[in-house]
Amino acid sequence: MKFAGLLVMPAGFFLAVAALVLFPDAALRATFVLCGLAVEALGLGVAVRGHMERLTDVHLAPALKVTGGASRR
Amino acid sequence: MTTPAAVLPLSDSLFALTLALLLLAPLAIAGVALVNTGLGRSRSAAQSLLGSITIVAVAVIAFAVVGVAFAGNPSYTFFLAGKPWNWLGGAPLLLHNFNASQPLSQMGVLFEFMAVAFAAMIPWGSGADRYRLPAGCISTAFLAAAVFPLLAHWIWGGGWLAQLGANFGLGAGFLDAGGAATVHALGGLSALAVVWIAGSRKGKFPKEGLATAMPGHNAVYILFGCLLALIGWTAWNVAGAILWLHAAPSTLVVTVINTLLAASTALVATFTVTRTRFGKPDASMCANGWLAGLVTSSACAGIVTPLEAIFVGGIAGLATPLLVELLELALSIDDPSGAITVHAFGGLWGLFAAGLFAPQQGQMLAQLVASPRFLAWCSRLSICSPRSSTA
């Protein structure tokens, strides 16, 4: 999920660059650039969420190990 | 490959002034190194300062050997939709034949040397107690040889971001005279990548309860570093205005005043927020607010009026303590030096404000087109940085 977010971020950038080439009209161009920024922010959000989930897993891992050891005893 | 664009002449007096300013600019690096050291633990203070110096050395060497070629001119250009896209420099390696270049170009390269050293040092403070020095040097070499030169060429070397104005009618192209993007946004987002990869310090986020407070060990280092940084930053912003905005000498005093105003307003805003929230002002947070104000001034000191500088610095100062708390408490991101907030947010906010207040038509769009580029670099760095870089 983290890497998916990181891949979405450049997509947002390319959207902003494509707007420059595709739309000579200032309003349309601005709209698409803002959309690119939004996609970029979305990617960052997904990457942060992915990172947080991974962090939670890492924090839980030692506890799971202890539980496993106790059940074996 | 295209030849460099015509370079404006630099008079002898302006050359001397710029050189003198660039000789003062390393004080900003020294100040931030001192702030990072003070914000860390006492047991790692020597390691922190040694690391800062070593990383500056590695960055400068890597940039001189490889990076300067990608950042300089002449450059490689391709044509898309009938427009030129100048994307990569093709100058000789190892500063070959550097003496023959024009004074303004030489000053530009010197400015880039300072900038790469600064940008490389920013993540070091965020990775305190986790980031190994050899690994930090490897990451720095990559940043100074490949990442920074590309951005420097796009913005300062006549690259496609600088030509957004000429090619697409977006104001004067992407404006970043003091390195808010190339130094601070890049450094701050690299810091985010380092912290993501390295994780938090031991005991910072216990399994139960709130995050453990790990205050800086020496407030005098932190606050003296802020004063040193002010001198360096002022010199940096004025030199940047001369080199990249081609500012007239009559506008340089306003640039200095704007730098001072942005930092001062940011400090007062952070002071007020911490005083209101915690009952007393927090020295380390106030230092971060001061630095955030300086970072925002990097983008807009040469463009905005003093009143606008007060507004820009005020917003940076208000947001700094809130963002530091958000990152630590809500997102569990352990950033001892606050570099992500100060440099990444401060830089991006400054770039946005420069577009907001610039007199040219379409300048805001130029700033908005370029800003996502720096967020995207964060992903590149996250993927490219080796996992072995952490302790």
Side-chain angles (χ1 to χ4, degrees):
Chain A
M1 190 154 166
K2 183 176 171 181
F3 285 97
L6 294 174
L7 284 173
V8 170
M9 287 165 72
F13 166 70
F14 285 119
L15 199 60
V17 172
L20 292 179
V21 178
L22 295 175
F23 304 110
D25 177 57
L28 259 180
R29 191 183 265 180
T31 309
F32 264 77
V33 167
L34 287 175
C35 287
L37 265 173
V39 170
E40 190 106 14
L42 190 75
L44 188 63
V46 171
V48 169
R49 273 188 67 97
H51 172 72
M52 297 301 296
E53 282 172 9
R54 198 174 141 266
L55 203 71
T56 312
D57 292 345
V58 170
H59 279 184
L60 284 176
L64 290 173
K65 270 184 195 168
V66 170
T67 313
S71 64
R72 274 198 297 273
R73 276 200 296 272
Chain B
M1 186 178 275
T2 57
T3 49
V7 180
L8 293 172
L10 195 67
S11 69
D12 285 348
S13 55
L14 217 50
F15 182 86
L17 173 66
T18 315
L19 185 60
L21 289 168
L22 287 177
L23 293 178
L24 283 175
L27 284 178
I29 301 174
V32 172
L34 213 50
V35 170
N36 288 348
T37 303
L39 285 171
R41 291 172 175 176
S42 58
R43 69 180 184 193
S44 56
Q47 167 80 356
S48 171
L49 215 46
L50 172 69
S52 297
I53 298 168
T54 312
I55 278 175
V56 165
V58 171
V60 165
I61 293 168
F63 186 70
V65 173
V66 182
V68 78
F70 298 139
N73 278 302
S75 51
Y76 294 98
T77 304
F78 66 89
F79 286 83
L80 182 68
K83 306 283 186 189
W85 295 78
N86 182 340
W87 65 285
L88 184 66
L93 291 167
L94 279 165
L95 292 166
H96 182 67
N97 217 10
F98 182 66
N99 285 340
S101 57
Q102 296 193 34
L104 189 65
S105 304
Q106 291 186 0
M107 282 296 168
V109 172
L110 181 58
F111 190 94
E112 287 169 356
F113 266 101
M114 304 292 176
V116 74
F118 203 169
M121 202 198 64
I122 291 168
W124 178 247
S126 293
D129 295 332
R130 292 152 289 168
Y131 205 18
R132 286 180 181 167
L133 187 51
C137 291
I138 294 169
S139 300
T140 297
F142 174 70
L143 185 134
V147 182
F148 172 85
L150 216 53
L151 295 179
H153 180 74
W154 291 348
I155 297 166
W156 295 331
W160 69 273
L161 285 178
Q163 291 174 354
L164 283 176
N167 292 337
F168 298 100
L170 300 181
F174 183 60
L175 292 178
D176 178 25
T182 41
V183 177
H184 301 291
L186 176 66
L189 293 172
S190 307
L192 178 62
V194 165
V195 172
W196 269 5
I197 293 167
S200 57
R201 287 172 290 179
K202 277 179 189 169
K204 179 67 186 173
F205 298 111
K207 284 173 206 162
E208 292 173 6
L210 289 171
T212 311
M214 293 181 175
H217 82 279
N218 196 324
V220 177
Y221 282 2
I222 298 169
L223 297 174
F224 183 64
C226 286
L227 291 174
L228 271 186
L230 174 68
I231 304 169
W233 235 286
T234 309
W236 203 295
N237 285 350
V238 176
I242 294 170
L243 287 171
W244 313 122
L245 298 179
H246 308 298
S250 59
T251 62
L252 298 181
V253 177
V254 178
T255 304
V256 175
I257 291 171
N258 284 346
T259 306
L260 198 55
L261 278 177
S264 306
T265 322
L267 174 75
V268 170
T270 309
F271 186 99
T272 310
V273 169
T274 53
R275 173 80 175 72
T276 309
R277 285 175 65 85
F278 311 127
K280 61 175 185 177
D282 183 281
S284 60
M285 205 69 91
C286 286
N288 275 340
W290 174 264
L291 288 179
L294 288 172
V295 170
T296 53
S297 77
S298 290
C300 57
I303 299 165
V304 299
T305 63
L307 189 64
E308 290 160 355
I310 288 175
F311 173 76
V312 173
I315 296 289
L318 284 176
T320 298
L322 304 176
L323 271 175
V324 166
E325 268 190 52
L326 177 81
L327 288 178
E328 184 167 317
L329 300 180
L331 300 176
S332 301
I333 289 175
D334 181 17
D335 178 12
S337 69
I340 299 165
T341 304
V342 169
H343 296 279
F345 165 75
L348 291 173
W349 161 239
L351 294 169
F352 180 80
L356 198 64
F357 296 118
Q360 297 95 338
Q361 189 83 23
Q363 189 61 50
M364 171 57 100
L365 206 54
Q367 304 296 106
L368 284 179
V369 167
S371 296
R373 179 71 281 179
F374 302 103
L375 286 177
W377 274 113
C378 179
S379 62
R380 300 285 192 286
L381 286 164
S382 298
I383 292 165
C384 294
S385 300
R387 269 204 71 79
S388 60
S389 64
T390 58

